Amino acid sequence: MIILVAGIHGVGKTWHCEHYAHRRGVLHGSAKGLVRQVLASVKWSDDRYATNRDRNRQALELAATSIAASGKSMLLEGNVALMGKRARTLGIDVTAFERLSLGAILLLESEPGTVLQRLPACHASATEVELFQQQERESAQAVARHLHIPLMLLRDCSDHTFGQTVDAWLKRGQPISIDTARSHPPGFHRLYR
């Protein structure tokens, strides 16, 4: 199963994914890293009509298809919404996620002050950070609905809660139920359907 771990910069995606992958031995990679890896290893035809965005999407699809075919589990770290400068969303093409073989989306969020502390060079305000998170959440909900896959939102979650969530999905090969989610500690928010 490939689980997309989404969220804006500074919410802890890399930290949680690296710790989980190291402890549990699952694959972990960022969408950006997989794209770079594929682009470096595959000779692309010189299609002057293909944009960089198209080529990047194709490279990510190729990597995800290969991982899914291997039967291995992976935490794929990335963003769902494309953000422009200063709290402006660039829109989302939900069909771009169709060939990624995603089994679920785990959306991480943090308090704006925490995000700003983690990103000292960020010139956004707390209001803009919350707006970015709202846009990422709305985009994640649209993708999950389009793909008919579960979406779990964890806000300011602990390493333990993150691990429990991923364990439940990977061990059972399916998402945890809403009833199970209600029994978890604070920070574990909800499963969207």
Side-chain angles (χ1 to χ4, degrees):
M1 173 186 279
I2 297 176
I3 298 174
L4 177 63
V5 180
I8 66 170
H9 296 299
V11 296
K13 297 185 303 286
T14 302
W15 191 88
H16 282 298
C17 288
E18 284 178 353
H19 281 84
Y20 184 88
H22 178 72
R23 286 192 318 270
R24 301 296 203 282
V26 301
L27 298 174
H28 162 242
S30 69
K32 188 183 218 178
L34 289 177
V35 167
R36 284 183 183 154
Q37 197 173 31
V38 170
L39 291 177
S41 66
V42 175
K43 182 173 178 6
W44 294 89
S45 64
D46 186 20
D47 181 358
R48 60 187 165 151
Y49 299 108
T51 65
N52 284 342
R53 184 182 277 180
D54 291 337
R55 197 159 280 161
N56 289 350
R57 182 183 46 78
Q58 291 169 356
L60 184 57
E61 288 173 4
L62 181 63
T65 301
S66 174
I67 291 161
S70 76
K72 295 179 181 174
S73 296
M74 177 177 202
L75 299 177
L76 176 62
E77 189 186 321
N79 300 95
V80 185
L82 297 174
M83 299 296 174
K85 293 182 179 180
R86 309 303 279 174
R88 185 177 67 85
T89 186
L90 300 177
I92 183 171
D93 176 11
V94 293
T95 62
F97 293 87
E98 289 174 350
R99 295 186 187 155
L100 296 184
S101 304
L102 299 177
I105 300 172
L106 182 54
L107 178 64
L108 301 182
E109 293 185 355
S110 287
E111 290 300 318
T114 303
V115 171
L116 293 171
Q117 285 177 351
R118 291 175 182 163
L119 302 173
C122 179
H123 299 292
S125 68
T127 302
E128 288 171 322
V129 168
E130 194 57 54
L131 180 60
F132 283 146
Q133 289 191 122
Q134 179 183 346
Q135 291 167 342
E136 181 84 357
R137 186 181 324 119
E138 290 169 0
S139 294
Q141 289 170 326
V143 170
R145 275 192 304 272
H146 181 76
L147 298 178
H148 305 289
I149 61 173
L151 164 65
M152 180 68 71
L153 167 64
L154 297 178
R155 188 166 178 111
D156 293 316
C157 71
S158 67
D159 191 37
H160 179 73
T161 301
F162 181 90
Q164 279 186 318
T165 304
V166 176
D167 281 349
W169 279 344
L170 295 181
K171 285 180 181 174
R172 296 182 191 137
Q174 60 187 14
I176 61 174
S177 70
I178 293 174
D179 293 333
T180 306
R182 287 187 184 128
S183 68
H184 282 278
F188 193 96
H189 278 265
R190 66 181 288 189
L191 177 70
Y192 292 93
R193 286 269 181 199

